[in-house]
Amino acid sequence: MKVNCDQLAGLLPDFFDGDLSREQSDAAIDHLATCASCRLTVDELEGVRTLASDHGRLELPPESKERIRRSLGLS
Ligand SMILES: [Zn+2]
């Protein structure tokens, strides 16, 4: 499975919630590995989510966070 930028944007909310299938999640990570502009988008989104969870409203599942960090080369 391959996704383009538009499709990735559609997957991101579920990606952050950990609701994607394995295949969708792998496709999202594959895309992020090759697309700098989408990495930037995820970075911003993750920042927003992290900020929100600091206020106790949203919690990013540790597994998603880990996968995102790894896909972004942050860990
Ligand atoms: Zn992209």
Side-chain angles (χ1 to χ4, degrees), residues 7-30 32 38 42 45-46 49 60-61 63-72:
Q7 289 168 323
L8 182 81
L11 291 175
L12 279 181
D14 285 339
F15 184 64
F16 275 102
D17 290 339
D19 286 341
L20 292 184
S21 71
R22 180 84 199 194
E23 192 186 25
Q24 288 174 314
S25 165
D26 284 349
I29 288 170
D30 270 0
L32 288 169
C38 285
V42 167
L45 280 176
E46 190 187 15
R49 293 268 174 156
L60 194 65
E63 192 192 319
S64 305
K65 212 172 207 171
E66 177 65 25
R67 287 173 72 94
I68 293 166
R69 292 200 164 279
R70 215 176 293 148
S71 73
L72 299 181

PDB file of all heavy atoms in Angstrom, residues 7-30 32 38 42 45-46 49 60-61 63-72:
ATOM      1  N   GLN A   7      -3.686  11.573   0.877  1.00  0.00           N
ATOM      2  CA  GLN A   7      -4.148  10.388   1.601  1.00  0.00           C
ATOM      3  C   GLN A   7      -3.539  10.323   2.991  1.00  0.00           C
ATOM      4  O   GLN A   7      -4.194   9.936   3.955  1.00  0.00           O
ATOM      5  CB  GLN A   7      -3.796   9.121   0.809  1.00  0.00           C
ATOM      6  CG  GLN A   7      -4.647   8.977  -0.445  1.00  0.00           C
ATOM      7  CD  GLN A   7      -4.107   7.899  -1.382  1.00  0.00           C
ATOM      8  OE1 GLN A   7      -2.906   7.728  -1.528  1.00  0.00           O
ATOM      9  NE2 GLN A   7      -5.004   7.172  -2.026  1.00  0.00           N
ATOM     10  N   LEU A   8      -2.277  10.717   3.076  1.00  0.00           N
ATOM     11  CA  LEU A   8      -1.625  10.701   4.381  1.00  0.00           C
ATOM     12  C   LEU A   8      -2.347  11.646   5.342  1.00  0.00           C
ATOM     13  O   LEU A   8      -2.594  11.297   6.494  1.00  0.00           O
ATOM     14  CB  LEU A   8      -0.157  11.105   4.273  1.00  0.00           C
ATOM     15  CG  LEU A   8       0.532  11.036   5.637  1.00  0.00           C
ATOM     16  CD1 LEU A   8       0.950   9.629   5.981  1.00  0.00           C
ATOM     17  CD2 LEU A   8       1.677  11.984   5.750  1.00  0.00           C
ATOM     18  N   ALA A   9      -2.683  12.830   4.833  1.00  0.00           N
ATOM     19  CA  ALA A   9      -3.372  13.803   5.685  1.00  0.00           C
ATOM     20  C   ALA A   9      -4.672  13.198   6.228  1.00  0.00           C
ATOM     21  O   ALA A   9      -5.041  13.435   7.382  1.00  0.00           O
ATOM     22  CB  ALA A   9      -3.666  15.072   4.892  1.00  0.00           C
ATOM     23  N   GLY A  10      -5.337  12.389   5.390  1.00  0.00           N
ATOM     24  CA  GLY A  10      -6.574  11.750   5.832  1.00  0.00           C
ATOM     25  C   GLY A  10      -6.333  10.679   6.892  1.00  0.00           C
ATOM     26  O   GLY A  10      -7.202  10.408   7.721  1.00  0.00           O
ATOM     27  N   LEU A  11      -5.143  10.074   6.841  1.00  0.00           N
ATOM     28  CA  LEU A  11      -4.835   8.996   7.793  1.00  0.00           C
ATOM     29  C   LEU A  11      -4.323   9.518   9.131  1.00  0.00           C
ATOM     30  O   LEU A  11      -4.416   8.832  10.145  1.00  0.00           O
ATOM     31  CB  LEU A  11      -3.759   8.067   7.208  1.00  0.00           C
ATOM     32  CG  LEU A  11      -4.134   7.182   6.018  1.00  0.00           C
ATOM     33  CD1 LEU A  11      -2.894   6.430   5.522  1.00  0.00           C
ATOM     34  CD2 LEU A  11      -5.220   6.198   6.387  1.00  0.00           C
ATOM     35  N   LEU A  12      -3.785  10.727   9.121  1.00  0.00           N
ATOM     36  CA  LEU A  12      -3.078  11.214  10.313  1.00  0.00           C
ATOM     37  C   LEU A  12      -3.889  11.204  11.616  1.00  0.00           C
ATOM     38  O   LEU A  12      -3.366  10.793  12.640  1.00  0.00           O
ATOM     39  CB  LEU A  12      -2.514  12.621  10.063  1.00  0.00           C
ATOM     40  CG  LEU A  12      -1.198  12.641   9.286  1.00  0.00           C
ATOM     41  CD1 LEU A  12      -0.718  14.075   9.117  1.00  0.00           C
ATOM     42  CD2 LEU A  12      -0.121  11.810   9.968  1.00  0.00           C
ATOM     43  N   PRO A  13      -5.150  11.641  11.586  1.00  0.00           N
ATOM     44  CA  PRO A  13      -5.886  11.633  12.861  1.00  0.00           C
ATOM     45  C   PRO A  13      -5.943  10.238  13.483  1.00  0.00           C
ATOM     46  O   PRO A  13      -5.710  10.086  14.685  1.00  0.00           O
ATOM     47  CB  PRO A  13      -7.289  12.115  12.471  1.00  0.00           C
ATOM     48  CG  PRO A  13      -7.077  12.914  11.224  1.00  0.00           C
ATOM     49  CD  PRO A  13      -5.932  12.232  10.502  1.00  0.00           C
ATOM     50  N   ASP A  14      -6.220   9.230  12.654  1.00  0.00           N
ATOM     51  CA  ASP A  14      -6.272   7.866  13.169  1.00  0.00           C
ATOM     52  C   ASP A  14      -4.879   7.345  13.505  1.00  0.00           C
ATOM     53  O   ASP A  14      -4.701   6.540  14.412  1.00  0.00           O
ATOM     54  CB  ASP A  14      -6.934   6.924  12.151  1.00  0.00           C
ATOM     55  CG  ASP A  14      -8.446   7.133  12.108  1.00  0.00           C
ATOM     56  OD1 ASP A  14      -8.992   7.680  13.087  1.00  0.00           O
ATOM     57  OD2 ASP A  14      -9.060   6.763  11.105  1.00  0.00           O
ATOM     58  N   PHE A  15      -3.898   7.838  12.742  1.00  0.00           N
ATOM     59  CA  PHE A  15      -2.511   7.460  13.020  1.00  0.00           C
ATOM     60  C   PHE A  15      -2.140   7.885  14.439  1.00  0.00           C
ATOM     61  O   PHE A  15      -1.595   7.108  15.225  1.00  0.00           O
ATOM     62  CB  PHE A  15      -1.606   8.141  11.990  1.00  0.00           C
ATOM     63  CG  PHE A  15      -0.139   7.777  12.092  1.00  0.00           C
ATOM     64  CD1 PHE A  15       0.290   6.490  11.867  1.00  0.00           C
ATOM     65  CD2 PHE A  15       0.797   8.748  12.403  1.00  0.00           C
ATOM     66  CE1 PHE A  15       1.643   6.165  11.946  1.00  0.00           C
ATOM     67  CE2 PHE A  15       2.149   8.437  12.479  1.00  0.00           C
ATOM     68  CZ  PHE A  15       2.570   7.138  12.250  1.00  0.00           C
ATOM     69  N   PHE A  16      -2.484   9.092  14.783  1.00  0.00           N
ATOM     70  CA  PHE A  16      -2.171   9.595  16.121  1.00  0.00           C
ATOM     71  C   PHE A  16      -2.964   8.876  17.191  1.00  0.00           C
ATOM     72  O   PHE A  16      -2.488   8.690  18.312  1.00  0.00           O
ATOM     73  CB  PHE A  16      -2.432  11.104  16.209  1.00  0.00           C
ATOM     74  CG  PHE A  16      -1.272  11.917  15.723  1.00  0.00           C
ATOM     75  CD1 PHE A  16      -1.295  12.503  14.469  1.00  0.00           C
ATOM     76  CD2 PHE A  16      -0.153  12.088  16.518  1.00  0.00           C
ATOM     77  CE1 PHE A  16      -0.221  13.247  14.016  1.00  0.00           C
ATOM     78  CE2 PHE A  16       0.933  12.823  16.080  1.00  0.00           C
ATOM     79  CZ  PHE A  16       0.894  13.402  14.820  1.00  0.00           C
ATOM     80  N   ASP A  17      -4.173   8.462  16.838  1.00  0.00           N
ATOM     81  CA  ASP A  17      -5.003   7.764  17.822  1.00  0.00           C
ATOM     82  C   ASP A  17      -4.662   6.282  17.905  1.00  0.00           C
ATOM     83  O   ASP A  17      -5.209   5.569  18.726  1.00  0.00           O
ATOM     84  CB  ASP A  17      -6.485   7.934  17.465  1.00  0.00           C
ATOM     85  CG  ASP A  17      -6.941   9.367  17.704  1.00  0.00           C
ATOM     86  OD1 ASP A  17      -6.269  10.070  18.479  1.00  0.00           O
ATOM     87  OD2 ASP A  17      -7.959   9.764  17.132  1.00  0.00           O
ATOM     88  N   GLY A  18      -3.776   5.821  17.013  1.00  0.00           N
ATOM     89  CA  GLY A  18      -3.404   4.411  17.019  1.00  0.00           C
ATOM     90  C   GLY A  18      -4.496   3.517  16.453  1.00  0.00           C
ATOM     91  O   GLY A  18      -4.563   2.333  16.747  1.00  0.00           O
ATOM     92  N   ASP A  19      -5.368   4.100  15.614  1.00  0.00           N
ATOM     93  CA  ASP A  19      -6.503   3.347  15.085  1.00  0.00           C
ATOM     94  C   ASP A  19      -6.280   2.809  13.670  1.00  0.00           C
ATOM     95  O   ASP A  19      -7.190   2.247  13.077  1.00  0.00           O
ATOM     96  CB  ASP A  19      -7.757   4.239  15.057  1.00  0.00           C
ATOM     97  CG  ASP A  19      -8.311   4.448  16.450  1.00  0.00           C
ATOM     98  OD1 ASP A  19      -7.976   3.649  17.349  1.00  0.00           O
ATOM     99  OD2 ASP A  19      -9.063   5.404  16.644  1.00  0.00           O
ATOM    100  N   LEU A  20      -5.095   2.999  13.123  1.00  0.00           N
ATOM    101  CA  LEU A  20      -4.849   2.503  11.767  1.00  0.00           C
ATOM    102  C   LEU A  20      -4.545   1.010  11.790  1.00  0.00           C
ATOM    103  O   LEU A  20      -4.005   0.489  12.761  1.00  0.00           O
ATOM    104  CB  LEU A  20      -3.654   3.226  11.142  1.00  0.00           C
ATOM    105  CG  LEU A  20      -3.811   4.698  10.815  1.00  0.00           C
ATOM    106  CD1 LEU A  20      -2.562   5.203  10.124  1.00  0.00           C
ATOM    107  CD2 LEU A  20      -5.027   4.943   9.951  1.00  0.00           C
ATOM    108  N   SER A  21      -4.871   0.360  10.672  1.00  0.00           N
ATOM    109  CA  SER A  21      -4.436  -1.026  10.526  1.00  0.00           C
ATOM    110  C   SER A  21      -2.925  -1.016  10.375  1.00  0.00           C
ATOM    111  O   SER A  21      -2.312   0.023  10.095  1.00  0.00           O
ATOM    112  CB  SER A  21      -5.082  -1.659   9.294  1.00  0.00           C
ATOM    113  OG  SER A  21      -4.518  -1.096   8.124  1.00  0.00           O
ATOM    114  N   ARG A  22      -2.345  -2.170  10.565  1.00  0.00           N
ATOM    115  CA  ARG A  22      -0.900  -2.305  10.414  1.00  0.00           C
ATOM    116  C   ARG A  22      -0.461  -1.800   9.033  1.00  0.00           C
ATOM    117  O   ARG A  22       0.530  -1.085   8.898  1.00  0.00           O
ATOM    118  CB  ARG A  22      -0.563  -3.795  10.574  1.00  0.00           C
ATOM    119  CG  ARG A  22       0.884  -4.114  10.447  1.00  0.00           C
ATOM    120  CD  ARG A  22       1.553  -3.895  11.775  1.00  0.00           C
ATOM    121  NE  ARG A  22       2.991  -3.749  11.608  1.00  0.00           N
ATOM    122  CZ  ARG A  22       3.845  -3.822  12.611  1.00  0.00           C
ATOM    123  NH1 ARG A  22       3.403  -3.995  13.824  1.00  0.00           N
ATOM    124  NH2 ARG A  22       5.123  -3.686  12.398  1.00  0.00           N
ATOM    125  N   GLU A  23      -1.217  -2.188   8.009  1.00  0.00           N
ATOM    126  CA  GLU A  23      -0.856  -1.825   6.647  1.00  0.00           C
ATOM    127  C   GLU A  23      -0.928  -0.308   6.439  1.00  0.00           C
ATOM    128  O   GLU A  23      -0.035   0.295   5.836  1.00  0.00           O
ATOM    129  CB  GLU A  23      -1.804  -2.542   5.666  1.00  0.00           C
ATOM    130  CG  GLU A  23      -1.322  -2.440   4.237  1.00  0.00           C
ATOM    131  CD  GLU A  23      -2.330  -3.023   3.256  1.00  0.00           C
ATOM    132  OE1 GLU A  23      -3.532  -3.065   3.584  1.00  0.00           O
ATOM    133  OE2 GLU A  23      -1.912  -3.419   2.157  1.00  0.00           O
ATOM    134  N   GLN A  24      -1.991   0.293   6.942  1.00  0.00           N
ATOM    135  CA  GLN A  24      -2.146   1.751   6.805  1.00  0.00           C
ATOM    136  C   GLN A  24      -1.042   2.479   7.547  1.00  0.00           C
ATOM    137  O   GLN A  24      -0.476   3.455   7.060  1.00  0.00           O
ATOM    138  CB  GLN A  24      -3.502   2.182   7.361  1.00  0.00           C
ATOM    139  CG  GLN A  24      -4.674   1.768   6.495  1.00  0.00           C
ATOM    140  CD  GLN A  24      -5.988   2.088   7.186  1.00  0.00           C
ATOM    141  OE1 GLN A  24      -6.169   1.802   8.364  1.00  0.00           O
ATOM    142  NE2 GLN A  24      -6.904   2.688   6.461  1.00  0.00           N
ATOM    143  N   SER A  25      -0.759   1.983   8.734  1.00  0.00           N
ATOM    144  CA  SER A  25       0.248   2.616   9.561  1.00  0.00           C
ATOM    145  C   SER A  25       1.631   2.509   8.899  1.00  0.00           C
ATOM    146  O   SER A  25       2.403   3.476   8.870  1.00  0.00           O
ATOM    147  CB  SER A  25       0.217   1.938  10.932  1.00  0.00           C
ATOM    148  OG  SER A  25       1.339   2.248  11.661  1.00  0.00           O
ATOM    149  N   ASP A  26       1.937   1.345   8.341  1.00  0.00           N
ATOM    150  CA  ASP A  26       3.207   1.174   7.637  1.00  0.00           C
ATOM    151  C   ASP A  26       3.278   2.086   6.414  1.00  0.00           C
ATOM    152  O   ASP A  26       4.327   2.658   6.113  1.00  0.00           O
ATOM    153  CB  ASP A  26       3.391  -0.285   7.196  1.00  0.00           C
ATOM    154  CG  ASP A  26       3.771  -1.182   8.365  1.00  0.00           C
ATOM    155  OD1 ASP A  26       4.092  -0.648   9.440  1.00  0.00           O
ATOM    156  OD2 ASP A  26       3.737  -2.406   8.199  1.00  0.00           O
ATOM    157  N   ALA A  27       2.155   2.221   5.703  1.00  0.00           N
ATOM    158  CA  ALA A  27       2.124   3.082   4.524  1.00  0.00           C
ATOM    159  C   ALA A  27       2.357   4.533   4.930  1.00  0.00           C
ATOM    160  O   ALA A  27       3.075   5.276   4.248  1.00  0.00           O
ATOM    161  CB  ALA A  27       0.783   2.935   3.802  1.00  0.00           C
ATOM    162  N   ALA A  28       1.761   4.926   6.048  1.00  0.00           N
ATOM    163  CA  ALA A  28       1.938   6.295   6.528  1.00  0.00           C
ATOM    164  C   ALA A  28       3.404   6.546   6.870  1.00  0.00           C
ATOM    165  O   ALA A  28       3.972   7.578   6.509  1.00  0.00           O
ATOM    166  CB  ALA A  28       1.049   6.532   7.756  1.00  0.00           C
ATOM    167  N   ILE A  29       4.013   5.584   7.559  1.00  0.00           N
ATOM    168  CA  ILE A  29       5.413   5.739   7.959  1.00  0.00           C
ATOM    169  C   ILE A  29       6.326   5.731   6.736  1.00  0.00           C
ATOM    170  O   ILE A  29       7.275   6.513   6.652  1.00  0.00           O
ATOM    171  CB  ILE A  29       5.792   4.646   8.979  1.00  0.00           C
ATOM    172  CG1 ILE A  29       5.115   4.980  10.305  1.00  0.00           C
ATOM    173  CG2 ILE A  29       7.299   4.556   9.154  1.00  0.00           C
ATOM    174  CD1 ILE A  29       5.185   3.893  11.341  1.00  0.00           C
ATOM    175  N   ASP A  30       6.008   4.861   5.771  1.00  0.00           N
ATOM    176  CA  ASP A  30       6.776   4.847   4.523  1.00  0.00           C
ATOM    177  C   ASP A  30       6.743   6.215   3.854  1.00  0.00           C
ATOM    178  O   ASP A  30       7.752   6.720   3.371  1.00  0.00           O
ATOM    179  CB  ASP A  30       6.180   3.835   3.535  1.00  0.00           C
ATOM    180  CG  ASP A  30       6.807   2.459   3.709  1.00  0.00           C
ATOM    181  OD1 ASP A  30       7.675   2.318   4.585  1.00  0.00           O
ATOM    182  OD2 ASP A  30       6.416   1.558   2.959  1.00  0.00           O
ATOM    183  N   LEU A  32       6.108   9.102   5.250  1.00  0.00           N
ATOM    184  CA  LEU A  32       6.815  10.089   6.069  1.00  0.00           C
ATOM    185  C   LEU A  32       8.325   9.989   5.899  1.00  0.00           C
ATOM    186  O   LEU A  32       9.030  10.995   5.986  1.00  0.00           O
ATOM    187  CB  LEU A  32       6.445   9.903   7.548  1.00  0.00           C
ATOM    188  CG  LEU A  32       5.030  10.345   7.883  1.00  0.00           C
ATOM    189  CD1 LEU A  32       4.668   9.888   9.285  1.00  0.00           C
ATOM    190  CD2 LEU A  32       4.913  11.860   7.771  1.00  0.00           C
ATOM    191  N   CYS A  38       5.437  16.395   4.746  1.00  0.00           N
ATOM    192  CA  CYS A  38       4.515  15.687   5.636  1.00  0.00           C
ATOM    193  C   CYS A  38       5.147  15.460   7.007  1.00  0.00           C
ATOM    194  O   CYS A  38       4.463  15.467   8.019  1.00  0.00           O
ATOM    195  CB  CYS A  38       4.058  14.369   5.025  1.00  0.00           C
ATOM    196  SG  CYS A  38       2.843  14.622   3.708  1.00  0.00           S
ATOM    197  N   VAL A  42       3.488  16.408  10.594  1.00  0.00           N
ATOM    198  CA  VAL A  42       3.380  15.512  11.742  1.00  0.00           C
ATOM    199  C   VAL A  42       4.056  16.131  12.954  1.00  0.00           C
ATOM    200  O   VAL A  42       3.559  16.067  14.072  1.00  0.00           O
ATOM    201  CB  VAL A  42       4.005  14.136  11.422  1.00  0.00           C
ATOM    202  CG1 VAL A  42       4.179  13.309  12.694  1.00  0.00           C
ATOM    203  CG2 VAL A  42       3.134  13.396  10.426  1.00  0.00           C
ATOM    204  N   LEU A  45       1.765  18.632  14.317  1.00  0.00           N
ATOM    205  CA  LEU A  45       0.629  17.971  14.960  1.00  0.00           C
ATOM    206  C   LEU A  45       1.029  17.343  16.278  1.00  0.00           C
ATOM    207  O   LEU A  45       0.322  17.437  17.272  1.00  0.00           O
ATOM    208  CB  LEU A  45       0.058  16.880  14.045  1.00  0.00           C
ATOM    209  CG  LEU A  45      -0.863  17.336  12.928  1.00  0.00           C
ATOM    210  CD1 LEU A  45      -1.250  16.135  12.074  1.00  0.00           C
ATOM    211  CD2 LEU A  45      -2.109  18.001  13.491  1.00  0.00           C
ATOM    212  N   GLU A  46       2.180  16.710  16.274  1.00  0.00           N
ATOM    213  CA  GLU A  46       2.627  16.063  17.496  1.00  0.00           C
ATOM    214  C   GLU A  46       2.868  17.106  18.572  1.00  0.00           C
ATOM    215  O   GLU A  46       2.564  16.891  19.741  1.00  0.00           O
ATOM    216  CB  GLU A  46       3.901  15.236  17.264  1.00  0.00           C
ATOM    217  CG  GLU A  46       4.215  14.390  18.474  1.00  0.00           C
ATOM    218  CD  GLU A  46       5.566  13.672  18.395  1.00  0.00           C
ATOM    219  OE1 GLU A  46       6.384  14.036  17.546  1.00  0.00           O
ATOM    220  OE2 GLU A  46       5.766  12.768  19.203  1.00  0.00           O
ATOM    221  N   ARG A  49      -0.477  17.994  19.925  1.00  0.00           N
ATOM    222  CA  ARG A  49      -1.010  16.913  20.764  1.00  0.00           C
ATOM    223  C   ARG A  49      -0.283  16.857  22.103  1.00  0.00           C
ATOM    224  O   ARG A  49      -0.891  16.632  23.136  1.00  0.00           O
ATOM    225  CB  ARG A  49      -0.844  15.564  20.062  1.00  0.00           C
ATOM    226  CG  ARG A  49      -1.694  15.429  18.834  1.00  0.00           C
ATOM    227  CD  ARG A  49      -3.013  14.804  19.210  1.00  0.00           C
ATOM    228  NE  ARG A  49      -3.918  14.792  18.071  1.00  0.00           N
ATOM    229  CZ  ARG A  49      -4.921  13.939  17.939  1.00  0.00           C
ATOM    230  NH1 ARG A  49      -5.137  13.026  18.852  1.00  0.00           N
ATOM    231  NH2 ARG A  49      -5.718  14.003  16.913  1.00  0.00           N
ATOM    232  N   LEU A  60      -1.335  10.831  23.568  1.00  0.00           N
ATOM    233  CA  LEU A  60      -0.856  10.088  22.405  1.00  0.00           C
ATOM    234  C   LEU A  60      -0.405   8.702  22.881  1.00  0.00           C
ATOM    235  O   LEU A  60       0.389   8.609  23.803  1.00  0.00           O
ATOM    236  CB  LEU A  60       0.327  10.836  21.786  1.00  0.00           C
ATOM    237  CG  LEU A  60       0.783  10.418  20.393  1.00  0.00           C
ATOM    238  CD1 LEU A  60      -0.298  10.703  19.367  1.00  0.00           C
ATOM    239  CD2 LEU A  60       2.045  11.175  20.030  1.00  0.00           C
ATOM    240  N   PRO A  61      -0.949   7.649  22.253  1.00  0.00           N
ATOM    241  CA  PRO A  61      -0.512   6.309  22.678  1.00  0.00           C
ATOM    242  C   PRO A  61       1.003   6.176  22.536  1.00  0.00           C
ATOM    243  O   PRO A  61       1.558   6.588  21.520  1.00  0.00           O
ATOM    244  CB  PRO A  61      -1.224   5.375  21.693  1.00  0.00           C
ATOM    245  CG  PRO A  61      -2.340   6.174  21.118  1.00  0.00           C
ATOM    246  CD  PRO A  61      -1.889   7.610  21.152  1.00  0.00           C
ATOM    247  N   GLU A  63       2.900   3.831  21.792  1.00  0.00           N
ATOM    248  CA  GLU A  63       3.353   3.105  20.610  1.00  0.00           C
ATOM    249  C   GLU A  63       3.367   4.016  19.378  1.00  0.00           C
ATOM    250  O   GLU A  63       4.298   3.972  18.585  1.00  0.00           O
ATOM    251  CB  GLU A  63       2.458   1.889  20.369  1.00  0.00           C
ATOM    252  CG  GLU A  63       3.055   0.941  19.323  1.00  0.00           C
ATOM    253  CD  GLU A  63       2.048  -0.094  18.865  1.00  0.00           C
ATOM    254  OE1 GLU A  63       1.312  -0.602  19.711  1.00  0.00           O
ATOM    255  OE2 GLU A  63       2.003  -0.354  17.644  1.00  0.00           O
ATOM    256  N   SER A  64       2.342   4.842  19.224  1.00  0.00           N
ATOM    257  CA  SER A  64       2.297   5.758  18.080  1.00  0.00           C
ATOM    258  C   SER A  64       3.438   6.747  18.159  1.00  0.00           C
ATOM    259  O   SER A  64       4.111   7.038  17.172  1.00  0.00           O
ATOM    260  CB  SER A  64       0.988   6.551  18.065  1.00  0.00           C
ATOM    261  OG  SER A  64      -0.100   5.687  18.098  1.00  0.00           O
ATOM    262  N   LYS A  65       3.645   7.262  19.356  1.00  0.00           N
ATOM    263  CA  LYS A  65       4.696   8.245  19.560  1.00  0.00           C
ATOM    264  C   LYS A  65       6.042   7.652  19.174  1.00  0.00           C
ATOM    265  O   LYS A  65       6.839   8.272  18.475  1.00  0.00           O
ATOM    266  CB  LYS A  65       4.708   8.642  21.036  1.00  0.00           C
ATOM    267  CG  LYS A  65       5.113  10.057  21.293  1.00  0.00           C
ATOM    268  CD  LYS A  65       4.903  10.360  22.754  1.00  0.00           C
ATOM    269  CE  LYS A  65       4.656  11.831  22.954  1.00  0.00           C
ATOM    270  NZ  LYS A  65       4.230  12.128  24.323  1.00  0.00           N
ATOM    271  N   GLU A  66       6.259   6.436  19.643  1.00  0.00           N
ATOM    272  CA  GLU A  66       7.506   5.734  19.364  1.00  0.00           C
ATOM    273  C   GLU A  66       7.696   5.530  17.860  1.00  0.00           C
ATOM    274  O   GLU A  66       8.766   5.782  17.311  1.00  0.00           O
ATOM    275  CB  GLU A  66       7.480   4.381  20.091  1.00  0.00           C
ATOM    276  CG  GLU A  66       8.689   3.492  19.844  1.00  0.00           C
ATOM    277  CD  GLU A  66       9.972   4.088  20.391  1.00  0.00           C
ATOM    278  OE1 GLU A  66       9.903   4.890  21.331  1.00  0.00           O
ATOM    279  OE2 GLU A  66      11.044   3.761  19.842  1.00  0.00           O
ATOM    280  N   ARG A  67       6.616   5.105  17.201  1.00  0.00           N
ATOM    281  CA  ARG A  67       6.699   4.854  15.755  1.00  0.00           C
ATOM    282  C   ARG A  67       6.953   6.151  15.005  1.00  0.00           C
ATOM    283  O   ARG A  67       7.727   6.191  14.056  1.00  0.00           O
ATOM    284  CB  ARG A  67       5.401   4.217  15.252  1.00  0.00           C
ATOM    285  CG  ARG A  67       5.261   2.771  15.678  1.00  0.00           C
ATOM    286  CD  ARG A  67       3.880   2.259  15.306  1.00  0.00           C
ATOM    287  NE  ARG A  67       3.739   2.080  13.882  1.00  0.00           N
ATOM    288  CZ  ARG A  67       3.954   0.919  13.273  1.00  0.00           C
ATOM    289  NH1 ARG A  67       4.312  -0.137  13.965  1.00  0.00           N
ATOM    290  NH2 ARG A  67       3.802   0.811  11.974  1.00  0.00           N
ATOM    291  N   ILE A  68       6.301   7.207  15.430  1.00  0.00           N
ATOM    292  CA  ILE A  68       6.488   8.501  14.770  1.00  0.00           C
ATOM    293  C   ILE A  68       7.925   8.972  14.972  1.00  0.00           C
ATOM    294  O   ILE A  68       8.613   9.369  14.028  1.00  0.00           O
ATOM    295  CB  ILE A  68       5.507   9.547  15.332  1.00  0.00           C
ATOM    296  CG1 ILE A  68       4.079   9.162  14.946  1.00  0.00           C
ATOM    297  CG2 ILE A  68       5.849  10.934  14.801  1.00  0.00           C
ATOM    298  CD1 ILE A  68       3.030   9.918  15.723  1.00  0.00           C
ATOM    299  N   ARG A  69       8.371   8.880  16.196  1.00  0.00           N
ATOM    300  CA  ARG A  69       9.748   9.323  16.491  1.00  0.00           C
ATOM    301  C   ARG A  69      10.744   8.544  15.659  1.00  0.00           C
ATOM    302  O   ARG A  69      11.688   9.106  15.108  1.00  0.00           O
ATOM    303  CB  ARG A  69      10.070   9.127  17.978  1.00  0.00           C
ATOM    304  CG  ARG A  69       9.289  10.035  18.857  1.00  0.00           C
ATOM    305  CD  ARG A  69       9.940  10.175  20.216  1.00  0.00           C
ATOM    306  NE  ARG A  69       9.355  11.337  20.886  1.00  0.00           N
ATOM    307  CZ  ARG A  69       9.726  12.572  20.644  1.00  0.00           C
ATOM    308  NH1 ARG A  69      10.694  12.819  19.808  1.00  0.00           N
ATOM    309  NH2 ARG A  69       9.125  13.577  21.243  1.00  0.00           N
ATOM    310  N   ARG A  70      10.548   7.228  15.569  1.00  0.00           N
ATOM    311  CA  ARG A  70      11.480   6.406  14.821  1.00  0.00           C
ATOM    312  C   ARG A  70      11.428   6.772  13.338  1.00  0.00           C
ATOM    313  O   ARG A  70      12.449   6.871  12.684  1.00  0.00           O
ATOM    314  CB  ARG A  70      11.139   4.928  15.024  1.00  0.00           C
ATOM    315  CG  ARG A  70      12.377   4.056  15.043  1.00  0.00           C
ATOM    316  CD  ARG A  70      12.015   2.608  15.335  1.00  0.00           C
ATOM    317  NE  ARG A  70      11.503   2.414  16.691  1.00  0.00           N
ATOM    318  CZ  ARG A  70      10.598   1.496  17.022  1.00  0.00           C
ATOM    319  NH1 ARG A  70      10.080   0.723  16.110  1.00  0.00           N
ATOM    320  NH2 ARG A  70      10.210   1.376  18.266  1.00  0.00           N
ATOM    321  N   SER A  71      10.200   7.002  12.845  1.00  0.00           N
ATOM    322  CA  SER A  71      10.071   7.323  11.430  1.00  0.00           C
ATOM    323  C   SER A  71      10.688   8.681  11.112  1.00  0.00           C
ATOM    324  O   SER A  71      11.099   8.947   9.995  1.00  0.00           O
ATOM    325  CB  SER A  71       8.592   7.284  10.992  1.00  0.00           C
ATOM    326  OG  SER A  71       7.907   8.397  11.503  1.00  0.00           O
ATOM    327  N   LEU A  72      10.741   9.536  12.109  1.00  0.00           N
ATOM    328  CA  LEU A  72      11.314  10.869  11.905  1.00  0.00           C
ATOM    329  C   LEU A  72      12.813  10.879  12.240  1.00  0.00           C
ATOM    330  O   LEU A  72      13.472  11.907  12.127  1.00  0.00           O
ATOM    331  CB  LEU A  72      10.611  11.893  12.794  1.00  0.00           C
ATOM    332  CG  LEU A  72       9.104  12.074  12.539  1.00  0.00           C
ATOM    333  CD1 LEU A  72       8.554  13.125  13.470  1.00  0.00           C
ATOM    334  CD2 LEU A  72       8.848  12.463  11.100  1.00  0.00           C
TER     335      LEU A  72
END
